Each structure stands twice: as structure tokens, then as C-alpha cells.
Amino acid sequence: MKRIVVLPDIHTPNQHEPSIKSALQFIKFYKPDTLIQLGDFCDWDSVSSYDPSAEHEIQPIQYEVEEANALLDRIDKIVGKKCTRIMLGGNHEARYEKFRVNQGFLVGIRRIKALTSWHEEYGLDRRGWEHVEYGENVKIGKVVFTHGWASGSNSGLDMSRRFPGRNVIYGHTHQHIVYGCMDENQLPIECESIGTLSKFNLSYLNGKPPYNWINSFMYIDMNEDGTFSKHFVRVINGQFTEFGRLFKAC
């Protein structure tokens, strides 16, 4: 049986640190064979099209790069090189790529030495991570993993239409959304958005607290034939229980 942990949007350096710490505790205990990060690993406020509303919201590119790499160091240390690690590009990674294409000739802007690709900034090849661009997906067994596009309550329906007959795990919405239907054999399938591991006061919200975001992640037990059991984990105040154990941010 293959063990898979799926981490949704993290938005480094704006991660919700208590949720990150407890999720990393679980990963150390669970020892996954595969770790999938669904995109928006970094916030990339530094290259956002949103105008900052306060001086503290102006992020140097280099600071975001350093913070993203620091969190990847923590993840790599826990999962080890034997774990297959896959990162999907999200719409926030696409922020960086758009900026790189338009402003790649600028060196020194917001304290960056040079502009490369988002996965080079994260050092994924050097680290041994696999990666795919925003809009692409990864298929393992009977599950499709993708970042997602739609952000409303109908995003699950949107996924079922994009990937007919397939179970889909996606991020992007920062909500827990489950859309269920049947495949051509009248077997149940689900498209599920699995929340976020970020803070809830991201700059583009302009101080308006989201009412439906949750801190959470997922783990999946997958059989050799691709059938699986998925387990949604909601993190409340930096803690949760699984396998009769309390996982808590220290």
C-alpha cells in the first residue's frame, strides 16, 4: 500500500505556522511514500498585481525566495530522499512567471540577483522534487491532483467537468468543498478541495477576513490497483488527532 500526503496552498512566508508544525509532526509519524504539494507554495506578494495597502505588505523577492527555501528545508529533512516529492505550480507561481517574462531584464529589483523560474527559485531539481507547471496535473492511481482554477462553491462541479469520471484533489479555494457524482460504471467519485495551510489575513483580502477558509490537509492510503481511502484532516488552533494521537504545534 502506498502512503500519500497532500499539502494544499501554503503561501510562504504567510504560512500558518502552528498548522505547518502539526502537519510536519504527522508526516514524520506517517512516513509517506509520496508527498504532493498542490501549488501556491509561496505567496509571491513581491510580484503581485495587487497594490499593497501598507508598507509592511511590500515583500522583497529575495525574502520570499529565502523563506520558501527555509520551509522546503524543513520538509525535506522530515520526509527524506526516499519519499517521492511533487510540487504543482499554482496561480501564485504563475505570478512569478508572468513577472519574469515581463521584467526579466531587471536585475536588483527588490533585492533579487537574477530572475529564473519559480521551480529554480525553490531549488526543486537540486532537492530531487518533481514539478509541473500551473494548469497541469499529476495522476496517481485513480486520483488526479491539480491546483485548480475556479474558487467558488461550484469549483467541484467545474473539476468534474474538466476531468470526467476521475476523482480529483485540488487546492486554490482555501475551502473544504466536496462534489460527488457517479462514473460510467455507476461508481462514486469525488472532487475535493482540501483547504489551505496559510494564514487567513493575506494582503489581497484588504483586511476582510474570509468566513469559509480552513487550515487542513489530506493523506491517502492507495492500493496497488489504484483504489484508495482518503482522509481529510482539519487543523484547529494548530492541532488535530489521527490514529488516536494528538498532533500539536510545539
Side-chain angles (χ1 to χ4, degrees), residues 15-217:
Q15 70 266 27
H16 186 250
E17 190 60 25
S19 295
I20 291 290
K21 286 182 176 178
S22 58
L24 291 180
Q25 278 188 13
F26 176 80
I27 290 171
K28 186 175 182 179
F29 163 81
Y30 184 65
K31 295 180 175 59
D33 303 293
T34 301
L35 176 72
I36 299 174
Q37 203 281 316
L38 292 176
D40 286 3
F41 182 79
C42 185
D43 212 335
W44 292 117
D45 267 342
S46 56
V47 295
S48 173
S49 60
Y50 293 94
D51 293 326
S53 58
E55 187 174 353
H56 71 271
E57 293 178 354
I58 300 175
Q59 300 278 15
I61 297 176
Q62 193 61 40
Y63 172 72
E64 292 197 281
V65 170
E66 291 169 357
E67 290 297 299
N69 276 273
L71 182 52
L72 280 167
D73 287 344
R74 293 164 62 190
I75 295 172
D76 286 343
K77 183 177 180 180
I78 287 176
V79 299
K81 294 182 179 180
K82 291 183 179 180
C83 177
T84 299
R85 292 153 290 160
I86 307 170
M87 185 179 294
L88 289 79
N91 58 296
H92 283 243
E93 277 74 32
R95 281 182 178 181
Y96 179 89
E97 287 300 298
K98 182 178 180 180
F99 184 85
R100 182 179 66 83
V101 170
N102 292 328
Q103 307 291 339
F105 61 92
L106 295 174
V107 177
I109 184 170
R110 296 192 187 175
R111 302 206 302 271
I112 188 72
K113 294 179 181 178
L115 292 169
T116 59
S117 64
W118 63 268
H119 44 84
E120 287 178 292
E121 296 290 7
Y122 298 161
L124 296 186
D125 290 338
R126 168 179 56 82
R127 295 176 181 277
W129 284 64
E130 301 174 24
H131 51 83
V132 301
E133 296 295 338
Y134 177 50
E136 298 179 8
N137 59 77
V138 172
K139 298 181 179 69
I140 302 178
K142 298 183 181 297
V143 186
V144 173
F145 301 90
T146 192
H147 178 70
W149 299 269
S151 58
S153 58
N154 289 326
S155 61
L157 174 61
D158 176 74
M159 285 296 169
S160 72
R161 290 172 173 170
R162 290 178 186 267
F163 303 99
R166 302 300 295 265
N167 295 278
V168 184
I169 305 300
Y170 65 103
H172 188 58
T173 72
H174 295 197
Q175 305 169 43
H176 186 212
I177 298 171
V178 182
Y179 178 82
C181 55
M182 296 288 186
D183 65 12
E184 66 276 9
N185 298 315
Q186 295 301 300
L187 296 174
I189 57 174
E190 289 183 333
C191 300
E192 185 167 0
S193 173
I194 62 170
T196 181
L197 290 172
S198 75
K199 296 177 180 177
F200 292 173
N201 58 341
L202 300 181
S203 60
Y204 59 84
L205 295 174
N206 296 315
K208 182 180 179 180
Y211 68 90
N212 53 3
W213 289 11
I214 61 172
N215 292 133
S216 47
F217 68 98

Side-chain angles (χ1 to χ4, degrees), residues 238-249:
Q239 63 184 33
F240 59 90
T241 57
E242 290 290 324
F243 295 95
R245 297 169 60 111
L246 175 65
F247 296 89
K248 182 178 181 181

